[in-house]
Amino acid sequence: MRILFLGDVVGRSGRDALTAQLPELKSRLRADLVVVNGENASHGFGLAPEMARAFFTAGADVVSLGNHSWDRKEIIPWIDQEPRVIRPANYPPGTPGKGSFVAVLGDGRKALVVNVLGRLFMEPVDDPFRAVQAEVQAHPLGKSVQAAIIDVHAEASSEKAAMGHSFDGLVSLVVGTHTHTPTADHQILAGGTAYMTDAGMCGDYDSVIGMQKGAASLRFWRKVPTEKLAPAEGDATLCGIFVVTDDTTGLATGVAPLRLGGRLSQAMPTI
Ligand SMILES: [Fe+2]
Ligand SMILES: [Fe+2]
C-alpha cells in the first residue's frame, strides 16, 4: 500500500496549499491512502466541519486531530457523524468521536488509522501506549487490516521513539505530529515499522511553529498578555512522510520524507 501522511495543517496558508496541491500530489505518488492531521486548520486552533469536508474532497481519506481537537466547538456534535475524522484514542471513555478508523480502499484493502496524545509536557490524559495496544489487538496487521498507521501527537521525541519501538513489527507506520517541525530520522525500524519522530506541519515556516513570529516571539520576552496569536500567512510547505508497505505483512518496504512548496528545502519521494 502506498501511504501519504501529512502533518498538522495550520491556518488558511496550510489549508489553501493542501486543497490546491493534494489532488495532483496524490496521483503523482500513486497514493492509495492519505492521512492528514487537521488539529490547527482553523486559524491555528481546531478544525471546522467544512474544512474537513474540503480535505476529503481534495483526496484525504482520514483526518486526525490532537490537543486542539475541540477548539472549534462545532466539531463536538458533528464528529460522531463523520468517522473519518478521529480524535485521540486516549481521551477518557465517553468522549465524543472515536480514536481510530478503518479505511477501506476501493479494492477492498483495509488500513487502520489511530490517533493518540502523548503525556510528557502535555495536559493529563489516559495512557497512550495501552490505547494503541488495544487498537492493534482489535485490528491485527496482516490479518484484519493490510496496513496500520499510528499518529502520535506528542511534544517529546523520547515518548514518540518509545511508541515506535513498542509497536515495531505490529504496525506499518508510527509518525509523530504536534511539534510542527519535521525531523530527519525517517527510517524502517528493525521489525519493519516505518517511523518518523515528527512529520512537520503544512504551514508557513516563516513563523514560530506556524504562528506570526512577532507576537509569538514576544511571549517569551515578557510575561504580560500580548496580542492574540494568528497564523502566518505566507506560502506553506506541505510536510509529511510517504511509506510503501507489503500487503501481505503490512510492514514497510520503503519510507521517504515529503516537503513541498514554501521555504523549506524540497523533498519529493521517489519510491
Ligand atoms: Fe499542531
Ligand atoms: Fe498539537
Side-chain angles (χ1 to χ4, degrees):
M1 196 179 296
R2 299 174 67 80
I3 300 161
L4 175 64
F5 183 99
L6 294 169
D8 312 38
V9 177
V10 181
R12 177 174 298 282
S13 162
R15 296 198 313 269
D16 286 352
L18 184 87
T19 53
Q21 296 183 63
L22 184 55
E24 189 189 332
L25 182 61
K26 190 174 184 178
S27 75
R28 179 175 178 175
L29 294 173
R30 292 178 286 117
D32 299 305
L33 181 81
V34 178
V35 181
V36 176
N37 186 295
E39 71 144 11
N40 308 109
S42 177
H43 214 62
F45 300 94
L47 172 75
E50 68 267 22
M51 295 170 187
R53 286 189 203 104
F55 295 172
F56 292 133
T57 301
D61 298 288
V62 182
V63 176
S64 57
L65 291 166
N67 54 308
H68 291 291
S69 291
W70 311 128
D71 288 358
R72 283 293 298 264
K73 306 295 176 230
E74 306 94 307
I75 203 171
I76 298 172
W78 181 74
I79 195 167
D80 279 317
Q81 301 160 34
E82 180 45 90
R84 295 176 295 171
V85 176
I86 57 174
R87 46 73 171 169
N90 54 329
Y91 275 156
T95 303
K98 290 210 161 56
S100 69
F101 178 68
V102 176
V104 183
L105 307 187
D107 57 16
R109 286 178 293 167
K110 292 179 182 168
L112 169 70
V113 185
V114 181
N115 184 212
V116 280
L117 273 177
R119 292 189 293 189
L120 280 184
F121 315 120
M122 301 190 75
E123 292 285 312
V125 69
D126 291 353
D127 182 348
F129 289 83
R130 285 172 179 81
V132 172
Q133 183 177 49
E135 294 287 352
V136 169
Q137 286 174 348
H139 306 279
L141 187 66
K143 298 190 175 90
S144 65
V145 295
Q146 281 66 55
I149 296 112
I150 313 297
D151 171 2
V152 190
H153 196 82
E155 190 75 50
S157 47
S158 58
E159 192 172 17
K160 293 189 255 194
M163 189 69 77
H165 290 296
S166 294
F167 294 97
D168 183 18
L170 298 173
V171 299
S172 312
L173 168 66
V174 174
V175 59
T177 54
H178 177 70
T179 73
H180 295 194
T181 305
T183 58
D185 60 343
H186 52 278
Q187 60 180 300
I188 299 175
L189 301 176
T193 295
Y195 174 80
M196 187 180 190
T197 296
D198 206 293
M201 67 172 171
C202 296
D204 175 8
Y205 277 84
D206 183 19
S207 68
V208 174
I209 65 168
M211 306 310 270
Q212 289 180 17
K213 56 193 178 184
S217 299
L218 209 50
R219 286 190 158 196
F220 293 94
W221 283 86
R222 28 175 234 193
K223 283 295 174 191
V224 294
T226 58
E227 59 192 286
K228 211 167 168 237
L229 293 180
E233 292 171 338
D235 286 346
T237 304
L238 297 185
C239 284
I241 183 171
F242 185 66
V243 181
V244 180
T245 62
D246 180 311
D247 285 330
T248 308
T249 63
L251 297 174
T253 57
V255 62
L258 173 100
R259 296 185 302 275
L260 177 62
R263 307 172 63 81
L264 295 195
S265 68
Q266 302 292 287
M268 179 58 66
T270 55
I271 53 176

